[in-house]
Amino acid sequence: EPEVTQTPSHQVTQMGQEVILRCVPISNHLYFYWYRQILGQKVEFLVSFYNNEISEKSEIFDDQFSVERPDGSNFTLKIRSTKLEDSAMYFCASSEAISTEAFFGQGTRLTVV
Amino acid sequence: KQEVTQIPAALSVPEGENLVLNCSFTDSAIYNLQWFRQDPGKGLTSLLLIQSSQREQTSGRLNASLDKSSGRSTLYIAASQPGDSATYLCAVRVRGLSFGAGTTVTVRA
């Protein structure tokens, strides 16, 4: 069964460093998303991406974040200068259309030290 | 701002009992509502999607209802099993998915 895959599963980085989280969405899906879940808190929407541009973003998605689809299969989230409070599980998701079922990856646990 | 609330926060039942999980949301202008399952430290597994025009959706032992006008959805799980133990999340799609905090279910063997 097709699935969303994310790498790495766990990343540890020093405060102030740049990190790139990688995702391979389901191949026939057109909409891609990033969410995050700080330990013990709700899952929060960060950004959605369609037709090679951001279609929606939340207040959390500020200038330190960026997304890119560098080729036909990968979808990345870059955090430019990480802070301690960026420590969270980051989930990538994809869907065929804007109102169809969203499928999530297993997540990347980012730890900023 | 869309607020999603799930009650109860935790639930413990003996095996075989039916589960009833509640979700409420403040803004009825949604595209759809999706129920997920999350196991500890794991990703989100989609269970059911209900479009805003639908009232109900069923998959196996799972049945979800949606009353958009009152901002409520209920997930029913029939004849619960220990393998159903997990956190169940409700999410509504407006601008991205807005999630509730979840109901953590424990099914005792």
Side-chain angles (χ1 to χ4, degrees):
Chain A
E1 185 173 319
E3 60 180 13
V4 176
T5 58
Q6 291 186 242
T7 55
S9 57
H10 191 185
Q11 179 149 3
V12 181
T13 189
Q14 289 205 325
M15 193 168 51
Q17 294 296 304
E18 175 184 285
V19 294
I20 297 176
L21 309 183
R22 302 181 190 280
C23 168
V24 179
I26 295 173
S27 61
N28 64 330
H29 286 186
L30 300 178
Y31 288 79
F32 315 122
Y33 314 89
W34 284 101
Y35 292 80
R36 78 174 185 189
Q37 186 176 30
I38 296 170
L39 190 64
Q41 297 187 22
K42 290 183 179 184
V43 177
E44 301 172 291
F45 168 70
L46 293 178
V47 67
S48 62
F49 192 86
Y50 168 72
N51 200 26
N52 282 320
E53 61 183 26
I54 290 173
S55 52
E56 302 169 309
K57 61 181 181 178
S58 71
E59 300 78 16
I60 303 168
F61 194 86
D62 61 21
D63 292 344
Q64 71 159 341
F65 292 97
S66 62
V67 290
E68 191 179 28
R69 187 152 164 84
D71 53 44
S73 59
N74 290 284
F75 179 51
T76 62
L77 174 69
K78 182 192 291 186
I79 309 175
R80 244 175 286 282
S81 176
T82 50
K83 306 176 194 137
L84 295 176
E85 54 265 37
D86 294 327
S87 295
M89 182 76 94
Y90 287 82
F91 293 109
C92 174
S94 68
S95 64
E96 286 183 5
I98 195 168
S99 63
T100 59
E101 195 172 6
F103 292 89
F104 281 67
Q106 290 299 298
T108 292
R109 180 166 298 285
L110 177 66
T111 303
V112 183
V113 296
Chain B
K1 184 186 171 187
Q2 179 74 261
E3 294 289 340
V4 181
T5 303
Q6 292 187 245
I7 293 172
L11 188 58
S12 178
V13 300
E15 183 176 3
E17 198 163 294
N18 296 332
L19 291 163
V20 180
L21 310 180
N22 297 298
C23 172
S24 62
F25 47 95
T26 53
D27 185 347
S28 62
I30 63 171
Y31 288 109
N32 57 47
L33 184 145
Q34 199 166 349
W35 282 94
F36 294 88
R37 169 187 173 133
Q38 185 174 31
D39 292 286
K42 303 290 187 185
L44 309 178
T45 301
S46 179
L47 298 174
L48 287 168
L49 171 78
I50 311 178
Q51 297 293 351
S52 62
S53 58
Q54 295 177 311
R55 300 279 292 182
E56 195 174 3
Q57 194 66 249
T58 297
S59 175
R61 292 185 295 114
L62 277 56
N63 174 277
S65 65
L66 173 64
D67 184 342
K68 202 175 76 154
S69 61
S70 68
R72 295 179 192 277
S73 176
T74 303
L75 178 67
Y76 301 90
I77 303 176
S80 61
Q81 304 167 358
D84 294 330
S85 298
T87 297
Y88 292 83
L89 302 176
C90 161
V92 295
R93 176 149 177 84
V94 181
R95 186 183 62 155
L97 285 168
S98 295
F99 282 82
T103 295
T104 299
V105 171
T106 303
V107 181
R108 308 186 303 272

